[in-house]
Amino acid sequence: MRLCDKNIQQLLTFTIRMTFRLSNSKLPDVKTTIFTEMSLLAQQENAVNLSQGFPDYQADENLIKYLGNFAKQGYNQYAPLFGIKELREEISRKFNLQYQVDYHPDSEINITAGATQGIFTIISAFVEKGDEVIIFEPAYDCYEPAIILNGGIVKNVKMFYPDYEINWTEVKNLTSEKTKMIIINNPNNPSGKILKQKDINELISIVKDTNIIILSDEVYESITFDEKPHLTLAQYPQLKERTFIAGSFGKLLHITGWKIGYVCAPSDMMKEFRKVHQFNVFCVNTPAQFAIAKYLQNVDNFKTISSFFQRKRDYLKNALQETSFQLLDCEGTYFLSANFGAISDAKDKDFCYWLTKEHKVATIPFSAFYQDKTDEKVIRFCFAKKQETLDKAIEKLLKIKV
Ligand code: PMP
Ligand code: GLN
């Protein structure tokens, strides 16, 4: 759905009006997200929107047809709180097929309203006042507010341009009895980096003999490039026993607006998750769950997604190599990022505004993914776009003068 200015203006007015009535905000530093801000600006400026991560092409018509059919057939009432069995079974089968990992569909898998709700519910179910949670920056935006709302304390480990490697010594030093959770995002939004075996080994050694819970946000698990494998934490028994995996069909099936995701975890952890989930959302969209379950029965419907996105990544990458952007190595996700230092000295957010207004291409500044707004002059392009959109953007980006 395209955002309309009127909605945003109403939202902002509401926020301002509430400020007069409330003396304290539970999230004083939180503003409207950068994804909303840049998509709105793109719309206002009539710019090509490579900012917020969503495909601008239609999902497979079979999937859409299934959705309509299930709604017509009367699958329109509450789904079970765990999610429909058919979908949980397909997720279980997919884990087994792709990673040779077993999750029991009844006790270890739950369907969620997108990964966002799964992540919020996991954090709410486990993080208590004073608990420390380690996150890695640049960090996707939904972790920190959820931790703070539950009284937790965010401990940041920063990753830096150009490698965005995790400094495991720093992680080790930050870990104590107060550490309740470590949140991993692999493949990483926005850097496009994926974890390697050496990273996994470090993580295993850090959590060994602790009660630390891991939340592994793997929403881009199916999008890795150049034959590099996605290493799900579920593959490692020492990690699986303490890990929640969060996934999303938005990415796998090009349907971010359906907001259907899932979480997987050992049954004792899932039990606690469900205590919160049942009051947080209770259950999620019924016909969409049936449609996805039917669609996943055919493995051909999702097994080529990496090559589909690799073609798009390569297309954008080859074109941008003709510009003065310094491109990051994108190993996964549908984001290609670049340093613009050779083009401008501006702050990254100012540069994104300038690029949108002057060159009509909207992107996301990396500083938005750091609590202290670390600015290394890096911006993110989303390439989950139809050819025509990428061509339009490329044409404009090639005109930037240094
Ligand atoms: N985690 C990451 C890293 C994301 O990029 C996103 C959004 N694309 C989400 C979680 C949320 O996924 P969903 O849209 O399924 O809520
Ligand atoms: N995950 C999307 C991105 O990174 C944004 C989703 C949202 O707007 N909340 O662009």
Side-chain angles (χ1 to χ4, degrees), residues 228-263:
K228 289 184 184 160
H230 168 64
L231 302 179
T232 174
L233 298 196
Q235 273 168 317
Y236 304 88
Q238 312 93 306
L239 297 178
K240 184 173 185 261
E241 62 177 18
R242 62 174 77 239
T243 296
F244 273 100
I245 306 286
S248 172
F249 292 111
K251 321 292 158 189
L252 183 70
L253 306 178
H254 320 286
I255 46 167
T256 60
W258 288 26
K259 292 299 287 187
I260 306 282
Y262 55 89
V263 301

Side-chain angles (χ1 to χ4, degrees), residues 33-36 39 51-54 116 140-142 189-190 219-220 251 256 259 334-335 364 369 380 382:
T33 80
I34 190 72
F35 309 115
T36 300
S39 273
S51 64
Q52 195 177 21
F54 63 89
T116 311
Y140 185 60
D141 65 350
C142 74
N189 175 9
V219 299
Y220 299 100
K251 321 292 158 189
T256 60
K259 292 299 287 187
Y334 46 49
F335 303 113
I364 298 285
F369 299 87
R380 190 194 82 176
C382 173

Side-chain angles (χ1 to χ4, degrees), residues 49-118:
N49 189 1
L50 302 190
S51 64
Q52 195 177 21
F54 63 89
D56 70 344
Y57 45 83
Q58 179 62 299
D60 187 342
E61 66 182 43
N62 281 330
L63 178 60
I64 315 265
K65 194 174 73 195
Y66 295 158
L67 179 66
N69 288 349
F70 280 109
K72 267 191 215 136
Q73 285 165 36
Y75 291 85
N76 297 309
Q77 309 311 328
Y78 292 131
L81 114 86
F82 303 167
I84 66 161
K85 197 174 178 60
E86 290 82 346
L87 185 52
R88 285 182 280 115
E89 282 174 350
E90 287 305 328
I91 293 167
S92 175
R93 195 167 75 95
K94 187 169 174 297
F95 265 99
N96 203 282
L97 197 77
Q98 276 179 273
Y99 307 112
Q100 295 76 53
V101 163
D102 289 323
Y103 277 115
H104 196 284
D106 292 340
S107 54
E108 297 183 313
I109 299 176
N110 211 102
I111 311 303
T112 59
T116 311
Q117 180 252 314

Side-chain angles (χ1 to χ4, degrees), residues 11-57:
L11 177 77
L12 294 176
T13 317
F14 175 72
T15 315
I16 293 160
R17 205 178 301 134
M18 287 302 283
T19 319
F20 289 114
R21 299 234 315 268
L22 301 175
S23 52
N24 272 325
S25 165
K26 290 184 84 174
L27 295 170
D29 301 325
V30 169
K31 303 201 173 63
T32 308
T33 80
I34 190 72
F35 309 115
T36 300
E37 182 177 347
M38 293 312 295
S39 273
L40 173 63
L41 187 69
Q43 216 178 320
Q44 275 171 353
E45 294 295 327
N46 202 16
V48 183
N49 189 1
L50 302 190
S51 64
Q52 195 177 21
F54 63 89
D56 70 344
Y57 45 83

